Amino acid sequence: FMTAVLTAESQNKDKIAVAVEECKRMNIVILPPDINESQVNFSIEPFDHSLNKQAIRFGLSAIKNVGEAAIESIIAARSKKGFDSLTDFFTKVDNQKVNKKVIESLIQVGAFDQFGKRSALLAGYDDIRKKAASVAAQKASGQISFFDADEEAKKADAKDDLPTVDELDKKELLTFEKQLLGFYLTENPISKQLGLIDSIVSYRLNELDPDLHVGQNLVLGGALTSIRRVITKKNAAEMAFATLEDETGSVDMVIFPKTYSECKNLLGEDRVLLCEGRLDFREDALSLVADKILEVNEKDVNFMQEKSEVEITVPRGTGKEALMRLSELLKNHKGADTVILLLPNGGEIPKRIVLPYKIRYTKELQVLIDKVLS
């Protein structure tokens, strides 16, 4: 089922990222792209350390810059026998269909890792490609015999002539994943920071619903993945439009001049931020109009996570329907504050019930609570 979901959403990076997170939650391993194993779409492979000893292999069609013609050539070329080396790969595939952009993208996401370091493959693939093309041309023109050409190919297959270079650092490798797959597959560099704010944010970004949350004041968290600064026509003040992204999705953000002037030093790409503001919906897209922005670090988060208790007095005679509306309202305002309901108990001392979930208590929420209980 999850394989079908991943394949169906392979061109929608936000949805595929959510599906990958769900696989992780279910202990289903997602194996990275592999030039000998990956099919057109996501596929199932035996894997001892995955749910039911079955893992999902990343499909070639979900890699940016790798088109249908290139995939067809790759799969046809390995139909009888897998590729033994980069040289073997170049002698078998159609180099017109599998062009440099395709090769670089496949190397960068790790599809050729069995043949060497990605840094060495990127630095050396073009020379290997040219040599393979030269042997093929000589073979086609009769300058060398088919026997000699095959012998040359077998010698080259034994070991690719790759330069000796240091591997790319982890940040670069993860950046390639994000650029070409649309999300981090092997490791999310901001997972630890996002974990710090899990109990502070109102919702994860894929949970935002235009029908439920527009107009609410929310706290959202994630990495700033893009930012566009503009100057207002009215008073020539700086403001910005940005995109906030967590492990589940993304949301647009509007930062008006007053807020921008207070936090512009924090607005750099890949910075992990907590953003408070009102959720809006325009031109068929959600956006957060930010009022306050903080950078995520353990010191500030620990301060923000200082827990408080909120007591809500339920008037005598409050009906079941009002209590259900109250429960729904509170659940829609997740946070770190403990909620205690004070219920009439036949005497002067009310019954205290601690709710099993926590909320983010604000003055705006108190107004909504009063309306429900009035």
PDB file of all heavy atoms in Angstrom, residues 294-321:
ATOM      1  N   LEU A 294      11.324  33.672  16.376  1.00  0.00           N
ATOM      2  CA  LEU A 294      12.456  33.345  17.243  1.00  0.00           C
ATOM      3  C   LEU A 294      13.276  32.240  16.588  1.00  0.00           C
ATOM      4  O   LEU A 294      12.736  31.352  15.931  1.00  0.00           O
ATOM      5  CB  LEU A 294      11.980  32.852  18.608  1.00  0.00           C
ATOM      6  CG  LEU A 294      11.250  33.837  19.517  1.00  0.00           C
ATOM      7  CD1 LEU A 294      10.722  33.100  20.734  1.00  0.00           C
ATOM      8  CD2 LEU A 294      12.172  34.968  19.945  1.00  0.00           C
ATOM      9  N   GLU A 295      14.588  32.274  16.787  1.00  0.00           N
ATOM     10  CA  GLU A 295      15.419  31.180  16.318  1.00  0.00           C
ATOM     11  C   GLU A 295      15.344  30.037  17.327  1.00  0.00           C
ATOM     12  O   GLU A 295      15.257  30.263  18.534  1.00  0.00           O
ATOM     13  CB  GLU A 295      16.867  31.621  16.138  1.00  0.00           C
ATOM     14  CG  GLU A 295      17.737  30.539  15.509  1.00  0.00           C
ATOM     15  CD  GLU A 295      19.110  31.039  15.115  1.00  0.00           C
ATOM     16  OE1 GLU A 295      19.522  32.100  15.623  1.00  0.00           O
ATOM     17  OE2 GLU A 295      19.762  30.366  14.313  1.00  0.00           O
ATOM     18  N   VAL A 296      15.377  28.802  16.825  1.00  0.00           N
ATOM     19  CA  VAL A 296      15.291  27.634  17.701  1.00  0.00           C
ATOM     20  C   VAL A 296      16.665  27.284  18.238  1.00  0.00           C
ATOM     21  O   VAL A 296      17.581  26.958  17.492  1.00  0.00           O
ATOM     22  CB  VAL A 296      14.707  26.427  16.945  1.00  0.00           C
ATOM     23  CG1 VAL A 296      14.767  25.174  17.815  1.00  0.00           C
ATOM     24  CG2 VAL A 296      13.267  26.711  16.532  1.00  0.00           C
ATOM     25  N   ASN A 297      16.822  27.384  19.547  1.00  0.00           N
ATOM     26  CA  ASN A 297      18.012  26.868  20.226  1.00  0.00           C
ATOM     27  C   ASN A 297      17.565  26.387  21.600  1.00  0.00           C
ATOM     28  O   ASN A 297      16.499  26.754  22.088  1.00  0.00           O
ATOM     29  CB  ASN A 297      19.118  27.930  20.341  1.00  0.00           C
ATOM     30  CG  ASN A 297      18.655  29.180  21.071  1.00  0.00           C
ATOM     31  OD1 ASN A 297      18.303  29.125  22.241  1.00  0.00           O
ATOM     32  ND2 ASN A 297      18.627  30.306  20.372  1.00  0.00           N
ATOM     33  N   GLU A 298      18.361  25.543  22.213  1.00  0.00           N
ATOM     34  CA  GLU A 298      17.932  24.877  23.446  1.00  0.00           C
ATOM     35  C   GLU A 298      17.608  25.859  24.564  1.00  0.00           C
ATOM     36  O   GLU A 298      16.664  25.678  25.312  1.00  0.00           O
ATOM     37  CB  GLU A 298      19.005  23.891  23.905  1.00  0.00           C
ATOM     38  CG  GLU A 298      19.119  22.686  22.983  1.00  0.00           C
ATOM     39  CD  GLU A 298      19.906  21.556  23.613  1.00  0.00           C
ATOM     40  OE1 GLU A 298      19.704  21.301  24.804  1.00  0.00           O
ATOM     41  OE2 GLU A 298      20.707  20.949  22.902  1.00  0.00           O
ATOM     42  N   LYS A 299      18.380  26.948  24.667  1.00  0.00           N
ATOM     43  CA  LYS A 299      18.164  27.919  25.743  1.00  0.00           C
ATOM     44  C   LYS A 299      16.785  28.560  25.631  1.00  0.00           C
ATOM     45  O   LYS A 299      16.003  28.577  26.590  1.00  0.00           O
ATOM     46  CB  LYS A 299      19.254  28.992  25.701  1.00  0.00           C
ATOM     47  CG  LYS A 299      19.103  30.042  26.791  1.00  0.00           C
ATOM     48  CD  LYS A 299      20.210  31.084  26.680  1.00  0.00           C
ATOM     49  CE  LYS A 299      20.015  32.188  27.724  1.00  0.00           C
ATOM     50  NZ  LYS A 299      21.055  33.242  27.600  1.00  0.00           N
ATOM     51  N   ASP A 300      16.457  29.087  24.429  1.00  0.00           N
ATOM     52  CA  ASP A 300      15.173  29.761  24.245  1.00  0.00           C
ATOM     53  C   ASP A 300      14.016  28.777  24.334  1.00  0.00           C
ATOM     54  O   ASP A 300      12.966  29.077  24.883  1.00  0.00           O
ATOM     55  CB  ASP A 300      15.142  30.476  22.892  1.00  0.00           C
ATOM     56  CG  ASP A 300      16.045  31.705  22.867  1.00  0.00           C
ATOM     57  OD1 ASP A 300      16.461  32.137  23.948  1.00  0.00           O
ATOM     58  OD2 ASP A 300      16.342  32.204  21.773  1.00  0.00           O
ATOM     59  N   VAL A 301      14.212  27.584  23.765  1.00  0.00           N
ATOM     60  CA  VAL A 301      13.144  26.590  23.781  1.00  0.00           C
ATOM     61  C   VAL A 301      12.839  26.139  25.197  1.00  0.00           C
ATOM     62  O   VAL A 301      11.681  25.999  25.582  1.00  0.00           O
ATOM     63  CB  VAL A 301      13.515  25.386  22.883  1.00  0.00           C
ATOM     64  CG1 VAL A 301      12.563  24.235  23.135  1.00  0.00           C
ATOM     65  CG2 VAL A 301      13.470  25.798  21.428  1.00  0.00           C
ATOM     66  N   ASN A 302      13.872  25.925  25.999  1.00  0.00           N
ATOM     67  CA  ASN A 302      13.653  25.538  27.396  1.00  0.00           C
ATOM     68  C   ASN A 302      12.868  26.604  28.144  1.00  0.00           C
ATOM     69  O   ASN A 302      12.002  26.305  28.963  1.00  0.00           O
ATOM     70  CB  ASN A 302      14.991  25.286  28.102  1.00  0.00           C
ATOM     71  CG  ASN A 302      15.644  23.998  27.634  1.00  0.00           C
ATOM     72  OD1 ASN A 302      14.971  23.121  27.129  1.00  0.00           O
ATOM     73  ND2 ASN A 302      16.947  23.906  27.793  1.00  0.00           N
ATOM     74  N   PHE A 303      13.166  27.863  27.826  1.00  0.00           N
ATOM     75  CA  PHE A 303      12.432  28.965  28.448  1.00  0.00           C
ATOM     76  C   PHE A 303      10.968  28.940  28.012  1.00  0.00           C
ATOM     77  O   PHE A 303      10.052  29.080  28.821  1.00  0.00           O
ATOM     78  CB  PHE A 303      13.060  30.301  28.057  1.00  0.00           C
ATOM     79  CG  PHE A 303      12.267  31.499  28.496  1.00  0.00           C
ATOM     80  CD1 PHE A 303      12.253  31.900  29.820  1.00  0.00           C
ATOM     81  CD2 PHE A 303      11.507  32.217  27.580  1.00  0.00           C
ATOM     82  CE1 PHE A 303      11.511  33.004  30.228  1.00  0.00           C
ATOM     83  CE2 PHE A 303      10.756  33.310  27.976  1.00  0.00           C
ATOM     84  CZ  PHE A 303      10.763  33.703  29.297  1.00  0.00           C
ATOM     85  N   MET A 304      10.750  28.712  26.702  1.00  0.00           N
ATOM     86  CA  MET A 304       9.393  28.730  26.177  1.00  0.00           C
ATOM     87  C   MET A 304       8.587  27.530  26.665  1.00  0.00           C
ATOM     88  O   MET A 304       7.367  27.570  26.723  1.00  0.00           O
ATOM     89  CB  MET A 304       9.418  28.741  24.648  1.00  0.00           C
ATOM     90  CG  MET A 304       9.998  30.011  24.070  1.00  0.00           C
ATOM     91  SD  MET A 304       9.984  29.970  22.272  1.00  0.00           S
ATOM     92  CE  MET A 304       8.239  30.124  21.959  1.00  0.00           C
ATOM     93  N   GLN A 305       9.296  26.451  26.996  1.00  0.00           N
ATOM     94  CA  GLN A 305       8.611  25.243  27.414  1.00  0.00           C
ATOM     95  C   GLN A 305       8.311  25.196  28.909  1.00  0.00           C
ATOM     96  O   GLN A 305       7.846  24.188  29.408  1.00  0.00           O
ATOM     97  CB  GLN A 305       9.438  24.014  27.032  1.00  0.00           C
ATOM     98  CG  GLN A 305       9.362  23.685  25.550  1.00  0.00           C
ATOM     99  CD  GLN A 305      10.138  22.447  25.217  1.00  0.00           C
ATOM    100  OE1 GLN A 305      11.247  22.256  25.695  1.00  0.00           O
ATOM    101  NE2 GLN A 305       9.584  21.597  24.376  1.00  0.00           N
ATOM    102  N   GLU A 306       8.614  26.285  29.628  1.00  0.00           N
ATOM    103  CA  GLU A 306       8.247  26.320  31.033  1.00  0.00           C
ATOM    104  C   GLU A 306       6.736  26.125  31.144  1.00  0.00           C
ATOM    105  O   GLU A 306       5.945  26.893  30.599  1.00  0.00           O
ATOM    106  CB  GLU A 306       8.655  27.662  31.658  1.00  0.00           C
ATOM    107  CG  GLU A 306      10.172  27.784  31.843  1.00  0.00           C
ATOM    108  CD  GLU A 306      10.541  29.093  32.509  1.00  0.00           C
ATOM    109  OE1 GLU A 306       9.613  29.875  32.810  1.00  0.00           O
ATOM    110  OE2 GLU A 306      11.722  29.354  32.713  1.00  0.00           O
ATOM    111  N   LYS A 307       6.337  25.085  31.826  1.00  0.00           N
ATOM    112  CA  LYS A 307       4.940  24.695  31.821  1.00  0.00           C
ATOM    113  C   LYS A 307       4.131  25.504  32.826  1.00  0.00           C
ATOM    114  O   LYS A 307       4.596  25.811  33.906  1.00  0.00           O
ATOM    115  CB  LYS A 307       4.822  23.205  32.099  1.00  0.00           C
ATOM    116  CG  LYS A 307       5.489  22.356  31.022  1.00  0.00           C
ATOM    117  CD  LYS A 307       5.513  20.913  31.407  1.00  0.00           C
ATOM    118  CE  LYS A 307       6.243  20.112  30.328  1.00  0.00           C
ATOM    119  NZ  LYS A 307       6.542  18.765  30.721  1.00  0.00           N
ATOM    120  N   SER A 308       2.898  25.798  32.429  1.00  0.00           N
ATOM    121  CA  SER A 308       1.985  26.478  33.337  1.00  0.00           C
ATOM    122  C   SER A 308       0.670  25.716  33.350  1.00  0.00           C
ATOM    123  O   SER A 308       0.401  24.898  32.480  1.00  0.00           O
ATOM    124  CB  SER A 308       1.751  27.922  32.879  1.00  0.00           C
ATOM    125  OG  SER A 308       1.168  27.939  31.588  1.00  0.00           O
ATOM    126  N   GLU A 309      -0.106  25.971  34.363  1.00  0.00           N
ATOM    127  CA  GLU A 309      -1.412  25.331  34.485  1.00  0.00           C
ATOM    128  C   GLU A 309      -2.500  26.354  34.204  1.00  0.00           C
ATOM    129  O   GLU A 309      -2.432  27.497  34.664  1.00  0.00           O
ATOM    130  CB  GLU A 309      -1.603  24.745  35.884  1.00  0.00           C
ATOM    131  CG  GLU A 309      -0.717  23.537  36.156  1.00  0.00           C
ATOM    132  CD  GLU A 309      -1.017  22.899  37.491  1.00  0.00           C
ATOM    133  OE1 GLU A 309      -1.738  23.526  38.313  1.00  0.00           O
ATOM    134  OE2 GLU A 309      -0.535  21.786  37.720  1.00  0.00           O
ATOM    135  N   VAL A 310      -3.485  25.925  33.447  1.00  0.00           N
ATOM    136  CA  VAL A 310      -4.621  26.787  33.119  1.00  0.00           C
ATOM    137  C   VAL A 310      -5.865  26.160  33.723  1.00  0.00           C
ATOM    138  O   VAL A 310      -6.172  24.991  33.443  1.00  0.00           O
ATOM    139  CB  VAL A 310      -4.792  26.918  31.585  1.00  0.00           C
ATOM    140  CG1 VAL A 310      -6.000  27.782  31.269  1.00  0.00           C
ATOM    141  CG2 VAL A 310      -3.534  27.478  30.955  1.00  0.00           C
ATOM    142  N   GLU A 311      -6.556  26.909  34.562  1.00  0.00           N
ATOM    143  CA  GLU A 311      -7.794  26.413  35.165  1.00  0.00           C
ATOM    144  C   GLU A 311      -8.988  27.023  34.434  1.00  0.00           C
ATOM    145  O   GLU A 311      -9.055  28.241  34.238  1.00  0.00           O
ATOM    146  CB  GLU A 311      -7.851  26.760  36.647  1.00  0.00           C
ATOM    147  CG  GLU A 311      -6.803  26.029  37.479  1.00  0.00           C
ATOM    148  CD  GLU A 311      -6.971  26.281  38.973  1.00  0.00           C
ATOM    149  OE1 GLU A 311      -7.748  27.208  39.334  1.00  0.00           O
ATOM    150  OE2 GLU A 311      -6.360  25.569  39.781  1.00  0.00           O
ATOM    151  N   ILE A 312      -9.910  26.176  34.025  1.00  0.00           N
ATOM    152  CA  ILE A 312     -11.115  26.628  33.325  1.00  0.00           C
ATOM    153  C   ILE A 312     -12.326  26.218  34.158  1.00  0.00           C
ATOM    154  O   ILE A 312     -12.569  25.021  34.395  1.00  0.00           O
ATOM    155  CB  ILE A 312     -11.201  26.002  31.915  1.00  0.00           C
ATOM    156  CG1 ILE A 312      -9.987  26.427  31.069  1.00  0.00           C
ATOM    157  CG2 ILE A 312     -12.500  26.408  31.229  1.00  0.00           C
ATOM    158  CD1 ILE A 312      -9.931  25.762  29.716  1.00  0.00           C
ATOM    159  N   THR A 313     -13.055  27.211  34.622  1.00  0.00           N
ATOM    160  CA  THR A 313     -14.238  26.944  35.449  1.00  0.00           C
ATOM    161  C   THR A 313     -15.448  26.716  34.549  1.00  0.00           C
ATOM    162  O   THR A 313     -15.796  27.573  33.731  1.00  0.00           O
ATOM    163  CB  THR A 313     -14.520  28.123  36.392  1.00  0.00           C
ATOM    164  OG1 THR A 313     -13.381  28.325  37.241  1.00  0.00           O
ATOM    165  CG2 THR A 313     -15.750  27.860  37.240  1.00  0.00           C
ATOM    166  N   VAL A 314     -16.052  25.554  34.686  1.00  0.00           N
ATOM    167  CA  VAL A 314     -17.239  25.212  33.891  1.00  0.00           C
ATOM    168  C   VAL A 314     -18.480  25.567  34.710  1.00  0.00           C
ATOM    169  O   VAL A 314     -18.682  25.014  35.809  1.00  0.00           O
ATOM    170  CB  VAL A 314     -17.244  23.716  33.536  1.00  0.00           C
ATOM    171  CG1 VAL A 314     -18.508  23.354  32.760  1.00  0.00           C
ATOM    172  CG2 VAL A 314     -15.992  23.367  32.731  1.00  0.00           C
ATOM    173  N   PRO A 315     -19.312  26.502  34.234  1.00  0.00           N
ATOM    174  CA  PRO A 315     -20.495  26.912  35.007  1.00  0.00           C
ATOM    175  C   PRO A 315     -21.474  25.762  35.230  1.00  0.00           C
ATOM    176  O   PRO A 315     -21.561  24.835  34.419  1.00  0.00           O
ATOM    177  CB  PRO A 315     -21.133  27.989  34.114  1.00  0.00           C
ATOM    178  CG  PRO A 315     -20.039  28.437  33.201  1.00  0.00           C
ATOM    179  CD  PRO A 315     -19.172  27.240  32.985  1.00  0.00           C
ATOM    180  N   ARG A 316     -22.171  25.841  36.335  1.00  0.00           N
ATOM    181  CA  ARG A 316     -23.195  24.830  36.638  1.00  0.00           C
ATOM    182  C   ARG A 316     -24.260  24.876  35.541  1.00  0.00           C
ATOM    183  O   ARG A 316     -24.669  25.943  35.085  1.00  0.00           O
ATOM    184  CB  ARG A 316     -23.822  25.120  37.995  1.00  0.00           C
ATOM    185  CG  ARG A 316     -24.737  24.004  38.514  1.00  0.00           C
ATOM    186  CD  ARG A 316     -25.273  24.362  39.910  1.00  0.00           C
ATOM    187  NE  ARG A 316     -24.187  24.549  40.849  1.00  0.00           N
ATOM    188  CZ  ARG A 316     -23.570  23.573  41.514  1.00  0.00           C
ATOM    189  NH1 ARG A 316     -23.961  22.325  41.311  1.00  0.00           N
ATOM    190  NH2 ARG A 316     -22.594  23.831  42.356  1.00  0.00           N
ATOM    191  N   GLY A 317     -24.700  23.711  35.102  1.00  0.00           N
ATOM    192  CA  GLY A 317     -25.740  23.657  34.073  1.00  0.00           C
ATOM    193  C   GLY A 317     -25.210  23.614  32.649  1.00  0.00           C
ATOM    194  O   GLY A 317     -25.998  23.591  31.706  1.00  0.00           O
ATOM    195  N   THR A 318     -23.883  23.633  32.489  1.00  0.00           N
ATOM    196  CA  THR A 318     -23.312  23.552  31.140  1.00  0.00           C
ATOM    197  C   THR A 318     -23.644  22.204  30.513  1.00  0.00           C
ATOM    198  O   THR A 318     -23.428  21.153  31.119  1.00  0.00           O
ATOM    199  CB  THR A 318     -21.779  23.726  31.175  1.00  0.00           C
ATOM    200  OG1 THR A 318     -21.484  25.002  31.729  1.00  0.00           O
ATOM    201  CG2 THR A 318     -21.184  23.619  29.777  1.00  0.00           C
ATOM    202  N   GLY A 319     -24.219  22.250  29.316  1.00  0.00           N
ATOM    203  CA  GLY A 319     -24.674  21.023  28.668  1.00  0.00           C
ATOM    204  C   GLY A 319     -23.558  20.234  27.994  1.00  0.00           C
ATOM    205  O   GLY A 319     -22.422  20.707  27.835  1.00  0.00           O
ATOM    206  N   LYS A 320     -23.923  19.003  27.599  1.00  0.00           N
ATOM    207  CA  LYS A 320     -22.964  18.096  26.961  1.00  0.00           C
ATOM    208  C   LYS A 320     -22.445  18.673  25.644  1.00  0.00           C
ATOM    209  O   LYS A 320     -21.251  18.560  25.321  1.00  0.00           O
ATOM    210  CB  LYS A 320     -23.633  16.741  26.716  1.00  0.00           C
ATOM    211  CG  LYS A 320     -22.710  15.708  26.106  1.00  0.00           C
ATOM    212  CD  LYS A 320     -23.433  14.374  25.915  1.00  0.00           C
ATOM    213  CE  LYS A 320     -22.519  13.341  25.267  1.00  0.00           C
ATOM    214  NZ  LYS A 320     -23.231  12.046  25.061  1.00  0.00           N
ATOM    215  N   GLU A 321     -23.304  19.319  24.877  1.00  0.00           N
ATOM    216  CA  GLU A 321     -22.904  19.881  23.578  1.00  0.00           C
ATOM    217  C   GLU A 321     -21.843  20.970  23.759  1.00  0.00           C
ATOM    218  O   GLU A 321     -20.858  21.037  23.011  1.00  0.00           O
ATOM    219  CB  GLU A 321     -24.128  20.452  22.861  1.00  0.00           C
ATOM    220  CG  GLU A 321     -23.816  20.956  21.454  1.00  0.00           C
ATOM    221  CD  GLU A 321     -25.058  21.498  20.756  1.00  0.00           C
ATOM    222  OE1 GLU A 321     -26.182  21.145  21.162  1.00  0.00           O
ATOM    223  OE2 GLU A 321     -24.883  22.282  19.800  1.00  0.00           O
TER     224      GLU A 321
END
